[in-house]
Amino acid sequence: MVAMTKLKISLTQTIPAHSRLSATVIGVEGKAKSLKLSKNNVDERLLSLFNLDSLGVSAEVGAVKKLAGPSSSLITLVGLGKDTELDSIRQAMGSVARELGNVEHVIIDLPFKSKQELLAAIEGFHLGNYDYLAYKPKADKRKLSKLTVITELKTTALELTELEILTSAVHRTRDLVNAPANDLYPEVMVLAAKKLAKTLPIKIKVWEEKELISEGLGGIHAVGKGSNRPPRLVKMEYKPTGAKRSIALVGKGITFDTGGLSIKPAESMVGMKYDMTGAASCLQAVIAIAELKLPIKVTAWLCLAENMPSGTATRPNDVIKIRNGKTVEVLNTDAEGRLVLADGLSMASEENPDYLVDVATLTGAATIALGNRYAGLMGDDLAITKVQEAAKTTGELVWHMPLPEELRPLLNSDIADIANVKIGNRAGGMLIGGLFLREFVGIEGRTKPAWAHLDIAGPANNDSSAYGHTPKGATGATVRTLVQLARDLSS
Ligand code: BES
Ligand code: ZN
Ligand code: ZN
C-alpha cells in the first residue's frame, strides 16, 4: 500500500564525503557520567568538541541526539545501552532510521564485533524506516535512500536480500493492519493474499459464505453474518518438495470488531481495526517463508470476518456448530475471535501438521496481565519452547502463561458442548481464551499437533509514541518470530 523508497545498502572501509544530506551515526555506551563514544572511524578531533554531559547525551537504547557536523552534515549519537546486545543494536538502529528520515544518506560508524551485530543493525534500520502515509501522501518527508556502513566486516548479497524479505513482510503487515476498516474487509484481505502469492509457489483456496455453511464452518459464518461484507476462510499452502516437517498458522482476522450485539462501549471500539493482526501476520509470514525458500511445509489459515450488529447478527444464547462438530453457546458476541479460530484450528488439525500456532488479538485481559509489549504464549510444552527460542532470536517479547484446568468448567454450557465465555467472570480472561481454543486442536483418536497460542492483543498495536524500531500504530510484531520458527524447524 505504501511503497517505501528502496534502501541502497553498501559496506565500505573508506569514509564517505559529508554533505547537507548525510548523517553519521556514532554510538554511546556505558553509564551516566562515564559515557563512552562507540565509533569506528570518525575524526577524534571532531568528537573532542562535544561535551556529552552538557549536551544531555544518553546511552539509553535508542536515545538519539543530533548535532551539527562537517559540511552541514549531521553527527548523530545513539544510545546502545549498558552492554550492547543484538536486540539493543536492532532497536537503536530502528530509532536512527525513524529520526533521520529527512536525510538522504545515513552513514553508520560503529565498531561491530561480529557479522550478527552488523546484520542486526541493518535489520533494525529497515524496521524503523517506515511511515504509514496511505491517507496523507503529501506528508511524506522521508528522503532516506542510502545506508552506508563503515566496516571491515562482509555480508553476502543473499544475507541482505533475506533481511529485506523479512522486514518487508513486517512493513506489509503494518500496512494491512493500519488500513481503516472501511477500506479493509474480508474480501480485501483475500485479494491481498492472492496478489502476494501470485508469483510464489503458494496455493490459495478461499471459502466464501456458501462454502462456509456447506462445509460446517459455523464459527466464521456466525461471526460474519451480521455484516454486509461477508466472511471468508483463506488457506495459503506453501509445500516445497522434500519438506520433512509442517507448520500450520491460524490467524484471527476480524477486520473490525464492534463486539456485535454485545456491542462495545465507544472508547473500547476505537482501535478494533487492529483485530485482524493475527491473520495479517500469518499471511505475511507464509509469503516471507516462501520467498526465503525455507524447506518446510507451511499452511496459513486466515479466519476473516467483520463483527457487526444487525438484524442478521448472531445473538447471545445462539448455539452454533464448529467444523469439528462441537457445539458452542455464544453468550457474548464480543468473544468472537475464539469462534473464528475454532474453525481455523479444526481445519488446520484435519491435515495433521507437526506444529500448530495460532495468532490473535484475542483478549483485552492479555493487556491487563502483560501490558503492551509482551504477547501471551500458551499451549503445549514442545511448541512453547520452540516459539520461545524463535522469539529470543528475533528479540520479540513473549511470556509463557498457564492453562489452569480449574478454569475450564467455567465454560460449561447448559445446552451446548461449551460456552464461549463465563458471563460476569473477569479472572484469568486470557487463560480462558486459551482453554477454549484448546478444545479445537487436534482430531479425536489421532496424534495431536504441538500447539501454541499467541495472544497479541498488547503488542499488535502501539498507541503510545514510537520507540526503537516500533512505530506508532500497527507494529507487525510476531511476523519475524513466525518466520524464525519456520527457519528453526526446517533445519
Ligand atoms: N478484539 C477483542 C480483544 C481486544 C481488546 C484486543 C482490546 C485488543 C485490545 C476481543 O474480541 C474481545 O472483545 N474480547 C473480549 C472477551 C470477553 C467478552 C470475554 C474482551 O477482551 O473484553
Ligand atoms: Zn470482540
Ligand atoms: Zn476481537
Side-chain angles (χ1 to χ4, degrees):
M1 262 173 238
V2 194
M4 291 286 138
T5 330
K6 194 166 148 55
L7 199 62
K8 189 171 171 290
I9 299 172
S10 40
L11 310 183
T12 176
Q13 296 191 44
T14 49
I15 304 176
H18 302 288
S19 80
R20 56 185 312 111
L21 289 170
S22 72
T24 303
V25 179
I26 306 167
V28 184
E29 288 177 282
K31 297 203 186 76
K33 301 262 179 314
S34 59
L35 293 176
K36 252 182 35 216
L37 287 180
S38 158
K39 47 101 205 173
N40 208 6
N41 286 291
V42 167
D43 194 334
E44 286 291 349
R45 281 167 304 179
L46 182 68
L47 296 180
S48 64
L49 298 174
F50 302 143
N51 177 336
L52 299 181
D53 283 336
S54 49
L55 281 168
V57 167
S58 155
E60 196 187 317
V61 176
V64 167
K65 192 88 189 170
K66 298 180 201 174
L67 303 167
S71 311
S72 308
S73 72
L74 282 181
I75 299 279
T76 303
L77 304 181
V78 63
L80 297 175
K82 285 198 200 77
D83 26 28
T84 312
E85 290 172 20
L86 275 190
D87 201 56
S88 313
I89 295 180
R90 248 185 237 117
Q91 300 290 356
M93 291 305 118
S95 287
V96 165
R98 278 194 298 101
E99 304 257 351
L100 293 181
N102 57 348
V103 302
E104 266 174 22
H105 185 190
V106 171
I107 301 156
I108 307 271
D109 188 32
L110 294 171
F112 295 118
K113 290 189 287 292
S114 64
K115 181 149 94 176
Q116 270 101 328
E117 289 193 359
L118 171 60
L119 290 171
I122 298 172
E123 179 180 352
F125 195 87
H126 271 308
L127 290 171
N129 184 22
Y130 176 86
D131 289 307
Y132 184 68
L133 295 161
Y135 293 86
K136 47 172 178 181
K138 291 205 188 96
D140 191 357
K141 297 204 181 64
R142 207 162 265 280
K143 294 203 196 86
L144 236 170
S145 61
K146 218 168 129 193
L147 175 68
T148 302
V149 187
I150 307 176
T151 180
E152 287 101 62
L153 296 164
K154 296 263 180 295
T155 62
T156 63
L158 180 66
E159 283 164 335
L160 294 183
T161 306
E162 289 188 344
L163 277 185
E164 206 187 305
I165 288 173
L166 188 65
T167 53
S168 301
V170 175
H171 287 192
R172 289 192 308 264
T173 306
R174 293 175 187 166
D175 285 349
L176 286 173
V177 176
N178 279 324
N182 55 331
D183 284 339
L184 189 134
Y185 39 94
E187 184 59 21
V188 175
M189 286 286 283
V190 174
L191 295 174
K194 283 185 174 164
K195 191 167 171 204
L196 282 163
K198 208 166 176 177
T199 53
L200 292 165
I202 292 179
K203 271 202 320 217
I204 295 203
K205 185 172 171 195
V206 180
W207 284 257
E208 300 201 345
E209 256 190 318
K210 268 205 328 257
E211 291 93 26
L212 290 173
I213 298 168
S214 65
E215 297 193 28
L217 295 149
I220 297 175
H221 178 252
V223 174
K225 77 193 174 102
S227 169
N228 288 335
R229 296 176 311 181
R232 299 279 187 262
L233 173 68
V234 180
K235 173 187 181 186
M236 303 174 74
E237 185 187 80
Y238 166 65
K239 191 181 179 184
T241 45
K244 290 194 191 68
R245 286 217 180 99
S246 57
I247 311 180
L249 304 174
V250 179
K252 170 177 174 182
I254 302 300
T255 56
F256 197 79
D257 183 11
T258 64
L261 287 172
S262 316
I263 197 162
K264 288 181 182 291
E267 293 76 32
S268 321
M269 210 185 287
V270 176
M272 284 303 133
K273 68 170 183 175
Y274 295 111
D275 217 21
M276 34 61 75
T277 304
S281 307
C282 296
L283 187 177
Q284 301 298 353
V286 72
I287 295 291
I289 289 163
E291 288 176 335
L292 293 167
K293 304 187 173 73
L294 299 181
I296 183 164
K297 177 181 172 189
V298 179
T299 312
W301 299 86
L302 319 181
C303 307
L304 306 168
E306 184 179 54
N307 190 20
M308 294 288 271
S310 78
T312 57
T314 293
R315 291 157 288 255
N317 283 127
D318 281 0
V319 175
I320 62 173
K321 193 188 256 185
I322 301 300
R323 169 75 180 192
N324 72 351
K326 288 196 183 171
T327 53
V328 179
E329 187 179 11
V330 180
L331 295 180
N332 187 324
T333 64
D334 196 13
E336 82 300 337
R338 60 198 71 181
L339 303 177
V340 300
L341 290 172
D343 275 336
L345 290 167
S346 303
M347 288 295 271
S349 296
E350 288 174 23
E351 303 196 337
N352 301 318
D354 299 317
Y355 290 83
L356 175 49
V357 179
D358 74 75
V359 188
T361 47
L362 201 71
T363 64
T367 67
I368 306 292
L370 294 174
N372 285 306
R373 298 198 182 181
Y374 279 84
L377 172 61
M378 289 142 271
D380 303 323
D381 289 342
L382 175 62
I384 296 286
T385 307
K386 297 292 180 191
V387 174
Q388 281 173 324
E389 284 169 4
K392 191 156 195 301
T393 307
T394 59
E396 294 191 314
L397 303 174
V398 298
W399 199 257
H400 186 186
M401 300 297 291
L403 292 171
E405 289 307 333
E406 77 275 11
L407 296 180
R408 171 59 188 83
L410 295 176
L411 293 176
N412 289 345
S413 159
D414 292 338
I415 64 166
D417 291 327
I418 189 169
N420 74 333
V421 298
K422 166 77 178 172
I423 294 296
N425 176 73
R426 301 193 350 119
M430 165 171 43
L431 320 179
I432 292 179
L435 285 166
F436 181 92
L437 296 179
R438 190 179 65 179
E439 302 281 324
F440 302 90
V441 173
I443 304 288
E444 286 256 315
R446 291 196 214 161
T447 330
K448 285 192 193 283
W451 165 65
H453 161 54
L454 279 162
D455 192 334
I456 59 166
N461 147 40
N462 173 24
D463 52 19
S464 30
S465 30
Y467 60 91
H469 55 61
T470 303
K472 217 169 174 296
T475 63
T478 68
V479 174
R480 287 183 302 124
T481 295
L482 295 177
V483 177
Q484 185 63 41
L485 178 68
R487 217 192 263 285
D488 294 347
L489 293 176
S490 66
S491 58

